[in-house]
Amino acid sequence: VIAMFSLAMLVPLAFAFCDPPRNALAAVLLLAAFIGTGVTFLAFAIMAEKRGDKSTAYPSKAFYYLGGLTEGTETIACFVAMCLWREHFALIATIYAVLCGVTTVTRMVQGWQRFG
């Protein structure tokens, strides 16, 4: 998980370095959104582990896997779109950051409902 998370950070960072005036703000927004999804994912998994909860939706996972709107497949599709339409990176990154924000909020709500 951490290795994939780290690799995912490099794509927006590369776009920011290639054209800072056009891409830096959107890249920073997307990076912050990635951090939000990662932190809430791992925080939920830690709390579930401490309580001994197991995921019935993903029984083959080593830890509690909490899905969301923006997961691996969606992220890869987003990166492909960014590479295909580089001139629209800022728009694509901003839209995806908003979707990641939705994932972060829904994970926080699920955590409060389950552990609060």
Side-chain angles (χ1 to χ4, degrees), residues 54-65:
K54 300 295 177 199
S55 174
T56 56
Y58 302 97
S60 63
K61 299 289 183 180
F63 52 86
Y64 200 104
Y65 187 84

Side-chain angles (χ1 to χ4, degrees), residues 22-95:
R22 286 182 50 188
N23 296 336
L25 184 59
V28 167
L29 181 64
L30 185 56
L31 290 172
F34 282 166
I35 291 168
T37 60
V39 166
T40 53
F41 175 85
L42 293 174
F44 192 96
I46 289 167
M47 294 302 296
E49 181 66 27
K50 285 184 177 185
R51 293 174 46 128
D53 294 351
K54 300 295 177 199
S55 174
T56 56
Y58 302 97
S60 63
K61 299 289 183 180
F63 52 86
Y64 200 104
Y65 187 84
L66 182 64
L69 179 62
T70 53
E71 295 297 324
T73 302
E74 294 82 10
T75 302
I76 291 168
C78 179
F79 289 166
V80 168
M82 289 172 179
C83 292
L84 289 174
W85 299 288
R86 292 182 306 276
E87 67 277 6
H88 299 295
F89 168 81
L91 177 62
I92 295 167
T94 301
I95 291 169

Side-chain angles (χ1 to χ4, degrees), residues 92-114:
I92 295 167
T94 301
I95 291 169
Y96 200 66
V98 169
L99 295 174
C100 287
V102 171
T103 296
T104 298
V105 170
T106 57
R107 286 180 177 162
M108 289 170 60
V109 169
Q110 288 176 305
W112 283 322
Q113 289 173 344
R114 186 166 193 130

